[in-house]
């Protein structure tokens, strides 16, 4: 890891000692995410309720700058200037390099149509089948580890050869058994598990950003 990533990682666990048992698993998750994006893959995310909101939150941190400014590559800036002049230059100056993260929770029309026409348990699995390809990565979030729709999405990912990270809590539930890697928050209450998840995915997003964008 880059020095800035190491410093960020170490500072996190100094501030979050209750999550220290997850150090090695978090490091593995950072590697999975970094390798996925570096190879041109994308991240798919799914969860319910508060975990649904977490999926959108994670996608938002990755699609634009989080802790770092991410200016576009010079080749793109030059192309914008050549094609559109001053207007293109102004647009390129505001755009940021992003990482392709798709929250499967955000497509209301597709979700409601599949739930109504086919099976509500499979709304995320259907999207994994449609969007997913080898080289991608899935993050499934369930505080109990028992969300059937998240489990179906992970099963679909496995069949496609797509690894997965499960963010869960309590004893990990079925999600921890199905996922390639499980980050199990050391809490029992849903809101406390979600507090851990927020801290963990901010760590993941920051570490990946440092690895890929810190000069």
């Amino acid at each position: 890891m880059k020095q800035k990533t190491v410093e960020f990682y170490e500072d996190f666990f100094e501030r979050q000692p209750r999550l220290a048992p997850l150090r090695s698993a978090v490091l593995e998750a950072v590697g999975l995410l970094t390798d996925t994006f570096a190879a041109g893959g994308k991240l798919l995310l799914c969860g319910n309720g508060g975990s649904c909101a977490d999926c959108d939150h994670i996608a938002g941190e990755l699609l634009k700058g989080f802790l770092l400014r991410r200016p576009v590559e010079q080749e793109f800036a030059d192309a914008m200037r050549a094609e559109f002049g001053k207007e293109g230059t102004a647009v390129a100056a505001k755009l940021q390099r992003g990482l392709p993260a798709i929250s499967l929770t955000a497509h209301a029309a597709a979700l409601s149509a599949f739930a109504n026409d086919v099976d509500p348990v499979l709304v995320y699995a259907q999207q994994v089948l449609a969007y997913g390809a080898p080289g991608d990565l899935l993050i499934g979030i369930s505080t109990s580890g028992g969300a059937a729709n998240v489990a179906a999405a992970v099963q679909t990912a496995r069949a496609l050869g797509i690894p997965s990270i499960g963010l869960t809590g309590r004893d990990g539930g079925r999600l921890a058994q199905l996922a390639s890697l499980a980050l199990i928050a050391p809490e029992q209450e849903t809101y406390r598990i979600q507090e851990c998840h927020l801290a963990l995915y901010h760590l993941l997003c920051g570490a990946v950003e440092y690895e890929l964008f810190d000069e």
Side-chain angles (χ1 to χ4, degrees):
M1 288 194 300
K2 294 181 179 178
Q3 183 59 35
K4 191 72 173 181
T5 314
V6 172
E7 292 171 0
F8 182 67
Y9 181 80
E10 294 298 332
D11 175 71
F12 175 87
F13 286 107
E14 287 181 10
R15 293 182 291 102
Q16 299 280 355
R18 67 174 172 165
L19 299 178
L22 300 180
R23 284 180 67 101
S24 61
V26 168
L27 194 61
E28 186 176 349
V30 171
L32 279 171
L33 284 159
T34 302
D35 291 346
T36 295
F37 291 130
K42 59 186 174 295
L43 175 65
L44 307 176
L45 301 124
C46 63
N48 304 299
S51 298
C52 167
D54 287 333
C55 291
D56 287 351
H57 191 160
I58 294 168
E61 306 296 25
L62 294 171
L63 287 165
K64 59 173 183 55
F66 173 39
L67 300 175
L68 298 176
R69 187 173 179 272
R70 303 185 200 166
V72 299
E73 294 175 342
Q74 190 60 48
E75 182 180 3
F76 175 77
D78 291 344
M80 288 290 285
R81 182 181 67 252
E83 187 76 16
F84 304 108
K86 290 182 179 180
E87 181 182 9
T89 297
V91 171
K94 294 180 180 179
L95 291 176
Q96 304 172 34
R97 283 179 288 172
L99 297 170
I102 302 174
S103 175
L104 304 181
T105 69
H107 308 132
L111 287 166
S112 58
F114 198 83
N116 183 65
D117 299 342
V118 186
D119 187 340
V121 173
L122 301 180
V123 291
Y124 297 143
Q126 177 61 36
Q127 291 184 82
V128 171
L129 184 62
Y131 289 123
D136 292 341
L137 179 65
L138 172 69
I139 290 182
I141 310 177
S142 170
T143 57
S144 67
N149 54 2
V150 175
V154 173
Q155 289 175 316
T156 304
R158 282 179 57 170
L160 292 171
I162 298 171
S164 58
I165 298 171
L167 276 176
T168 183
R170 299 174 191 162
D171 65 357
R174 191 167 185 224
L175 178 57
Q177 298 170 3
L178 289 171
S180 309
L181 174 66
L183 300 180
I184 305 173
E187 295 288 351
Q188 299 296 315
E189 294 289 337
T190 297
Y191 77 97
R192 291 191 179 275
I193 296 168
Q194 290 171 334
E195 289 171 356
C196 292
H197 286 178
L198 174 62
L200 286 167
Y201 66 68
H202 272 164
L203 171 60
L204 294 177
C205 291
V208 169
E209 184 176 60
Y210 282 128
E211 285 295 282
L212 294 176
F213 296 106
D214 189 37
E215 300 296 335

